[in-house]
Amino acid sequence: MAAGDLVVQRAEGLYCPAGDFYIDPWRAVDRAVITHAHADHARTGHGHYLAAAPAEGVLRARLGPITLQTLAYGERIIHHGVTVSLHPAGHVLGSAQARLAHGGQVWVASGDYKVAADATCAPFEPVRCDVFITESTFGLPIYRWRSDAEVFADINAWWQANVAAGRASVLLCYSFGKAQRILSGIDPSIGPIVVHSAVEPLNRAYREAGVVLPKTHTVSEVSNKTDLKRALVLCPPGAMAGPWVKNFSDFSDAFASGWMQLRGARRRGGYDRGFVLSDHADWPGLLSAIGATGAERVIVTHGSVPVMVRYLTGHGLQAEAFQTAYGDAAAEESVAATEPAP
């Protein structure tokens, strides 16, 4: 790191010395700018939170009572001489890139992002900057996503086939972001949609933010239990380890994740199906996003960091890495679900 850098590494997280605040810190701090509400980026214990306005509902649903200040996308504030604004990251509802301007420098910390269209959140907005801090969760050339339309058609066909066979369709997915994106794209006329209790509060926050989702039910709300045999069931992966899944005596299971691009991941999980659907940018998306910033210096965080740094350096950019505590949302979804079977 160079003297005068707008963002540096500290034990608490990514720190802006000029503004005396952190971006997505993983230890408790006085002032935190939060890019989005996934648990590896938004944690409890901070004195003051700053986030994009569309994130308010999901942040409060996940973190409870917090001191939260929100900004509309593109709105600017000045804190200790640093101009801060938040811009859409296209990752999940309320996700944002943090733009910092001070002393003639412009830095952008992207958090997590994707460039593909998504009906449940504002689309990614390239922000011109001198230094771009980018994720690299799927920073390998093997990761290239199909269109959402193709993936949703595959999910619908799998669901229809299971209805015809008289069994439920249990689709494992992250409670925040992935579940709502799936709901926005599937065909609700096929059958009832049942969600785990970890998913429903987030559905509520999305609906309150104006995102249109089809009607969903928790298990306890389904009075005719034979309807469960026709249902599409969305639940976090941890639900498979608890009693809740016993509500569905006969089912086919599947996992929706970018990691399903790798056959070995699906095989190790023992799923009947794997649907490749990610809320992160694929390899072409990462490169296009980085290029659109015009940044000559790029700092790479979590994911395939060495590969991305090497690639960018080979293409004429000054590339380096930050060591962070960020990771895939799977970590927050791995806790065994506790919703009891009725």
Side-chain angles (χ1 to χ4, degrees):
M1 298 297 103
D5 278 356
L6 266 184
V7 179
V8 299
Q9 296 180 89
R10 279 193 173 181
E12 298 86 352
L14 303 185
Y15 178 63
C16 175
D20 190 24
F21 59 81
Y22 290 81
I23 301 170
D24 293 348
W26 43 85
R27 295 184 184 177
V29 301
D30 289 338
R31 305 188 70 88
V33 176
I34 302 299
T35 63
H36 66 284
H38 275 140
D40 55 338
H41 291 256
R43 308 194 183 205
T44 58
H46 306 317
H48 181 276
Y49 295 74
L50 177 70
E56 180 170 4
V58 288
L59 277 170
R60 294 195 185 280
R62 308 207 95 194
L63 302 182
I66 56 173
T67 302
L68 175 63
Q69 177 184 358
T70 62
L71 293 179
Y73 285 132
E75 181 182 357
R76 297 186 178 189
I77 60 169
I78 299 177
H79 182 73
H80 294 338
V82 178
T83 301
V84 180
S85 57
L86 302 173
H87 304 264
H91 177 55
V92 292
L93 178 64
S95 60
Q97 305 168 79
R99 179 187 185 273
L100 315 179
H102 177 75
Q105 299 183 69
V106 176
W107 286 50
V108 171
S110 66
D112 289 334
Y113 64 91
K114 71 173 180 294
V115 298
D118 181 341
T120 65
C121 62
F124 177 85
E125 175 187 300
V127 182
R128 302 288 291 185
C129 58
D130 302 301
V131 183
F132 185 54
I133 302 173
T134 181
E135 63 142 310
S136 58
T137 303
F138 291 102
L140 293 173
I142 189 176
Y143 293 113
R144 298 171 187 268
W145 309 144
R146 298 164 63 210
S147 72
D148 278 12
E150 293 177 276
V151 178
F152 292 143
D154 285 349
I155 293 174
N156 286 334
W158 169 71
W159 182 13
Q160 286 177 318
N162 289 331
V163 169
R167 58 176 176 255
S169 303
V170 177
L171 181 53
L172 282 65
C173 56
Y174 304 149
S175 300
F176 169 40
K178 188 69 60 63
Q180 293 74 34
R181 186 174 170 200
I182 291 169
L183 288 170
S184 75
I186 48 88
D187 178 3
S189 70
I190 296 173
I193 303 171
V194 175
V195 298
H196 190 272
S197 60
V199 176
E200 191 56 30
L202 294 157
N203 290 349
R204 190 179 310 120
Y206 269 69
R207 291 182 177 112
E208 290 172 354
V211 177
V212 177
L213 300 176
K215 186 174 180 60
T216 54
H217 311 268
T218 59
V219 169
S220 61
E221 294 171 337
V222 179
S223 55
N224 185 351
K225 299 308 178 185
T226 60
D227 287 342
L228 297 178
K229 296 180 179 181
R230 302 185 297 112
L232 175 66
V233 182
L234 302 185
C235 64
M240 299 300 283
W244 181 82
V245 76
K246 294 178 182 178
N247 288 292
F248 313 98
S249 57
D250 185 18
F251 63 86
S252 173
D253 62 359
F255 201 123
S257 170
W259 301 115
M260 292 298 102
Q261 182 87 34
L262 302 177
R263 292 181 182 177
R266 175 184 155 192
R267 191 182 310 115
R268 285 192 298 273
Y271 312 114
D272 296 331
R273 290 289 303 273
F275 298 107
V276 182
L277 187 68
S278 177
D279 291 328
H280 297 263
D282 60 3
W283 175 257
L286 289 167
L287 298 184
S288 67
I290 292 168
T293 68
E296 295 185 355
R297 181 180 172 193
V298 179
I299 301 173
V300 184
T301 66
H302 54 297
S304 302
V305 176
V307 173
M308 182 62 74
V309 169
R310 185 166 57 250
Y311 180 90
L312 296 175
T313 301
H315 284 74
L317 296 178
Q318 180 185 346
E320 57 209 270
F322 271 155
Q323 299 300 316
T324 69
Y326 310 137
D328 189 70
E332 70 178 271
E333 300 283 2
S334 63
V335 179
T338 57
E339 182 179 11

